Amino acid sequence: MSSKTKVLLLVSVIFMTMGSFAQRGVRMAYVDMEYILENVDEYRDATEQLEVKVQRWKVEIEQKQSIVEQMKKDLMAEKVLLTPELIAERDEEIQILEKEMIEYQQDRFGPQGDLVLQKRRLIQPIQDQVFNEVQKIGVNKKYDFIFELIVDIV
């Protein structure tokens, strides 16, 4: 079964089960995008690949953080033996490495980072496909409103 067929089938089932919520002649439908995405093989495969990258990025950040922490400890232990110029030099080196680590973290996990961009690229084609199918079904079944079901359990 192709992914397009699966998406169409899932969207159809959701429309059929949610169509019974119509009130006062207004026909509404809800689409559970999370459920649909979980049942598309391409999305699951791409999510797994992305998770491998995320784990690698986390390890790299932890390694950088460990190096910075060790340099701080070493500086504290050797401070009494060093000249003020050497202390300032090492402190500057630590600050540079710390700044690089923070920038790397932002590049990977920040609001404009690789994780957000790759998730967007991963989800967008599937969302477009679902949106097109939802529109077709909405027109065929004469729904007045179609909402995305958002479940946020804390």
Side-chain angles (χ1 to χ4, degrees), residues 120-142:
R120 196 174 300 142
R121 268 186 253 148
L122 167 68
I123 294 174
Q124 193 62 48
I126 298 168
Q127 283 180 327
D128 292 345
Q129 187 178 2
V130 170
F131 179 75
N132 292 335
E133 295 303 323
V134 166
Q135 281 187 318
K136 288 178 193 172
I137 294 171
V139 168
N140 290 341
K141 301 276 185 180
K142 297 181 180 155

Side-chain angles (χ1 to χ4, degrees), residues 71-88:
M71 288 178 74
K72 285 181 180 181
K73 286 179 185 175
D74 292 347
L75 179 59
M76 290 301 291
E78 298 171 358
K79 218 171 198 176
V80 293
L81 305 173
L82 300 174
T83 65
E85 294 82 22
L86 281 175
I87 293 172

Side-chain angles (χ1 to χ4, degrees), residues 69-131:
E69 293 303 317
Q70 186 60 48
M71 288 178 74
K72 285 181 180 181
K73 286 179 185 175
D74 292 347
L75 179 59
M76 290 301 291
E78 298 171 358
K79 218 171 198 176
V80 293
L81 305 173
L82 300 174
T83 65
E85 294 82 22
L86 281 175
I87 293 172
E89 188 179 301
R90 286 195 184 174
D91 198 36
E92 184 180 337
E93 186 180 339
I94 290 170
Q95 288 176 4
I96 290 170
L97 287 175
E98 208 164 28
K99 184 180 177 198
E100 288 175 1
M101 178 193 63
I102 291 169
E103 287 174 358
Y104 182 81
Q105 193 171 15
Q106 284 298 310
D107 289 346
R108 297 297 180 243
F109 297 105
Q112 300 298 320
D114 293 337
L115 178 61
V116 172
L117 296 175
Q118 289 189 20
K119 274 187 175 180
R120 196 174 300 142
R121 268 186 253 148
L122 167 68
I123 294 174
Q124 193 62 48
I126 298 168
Q127 283 180 327
D128 292 345
Q129 187 178 2
V130 170
F131 179 75

Side-chain angles (χ1 to χ4, degrees), residues 51-64:
E51 186 58 34
V52 168
K53 285 183 183 180
V54 166
Q55 292 307 319
R56 189 180 72 233
W57 295 336
K58 285 180 179 179
V59 167
E60 290 172 1
I61 290 169
E62 288 170 3
Q63 288 172 343
K64 291 174 187 286

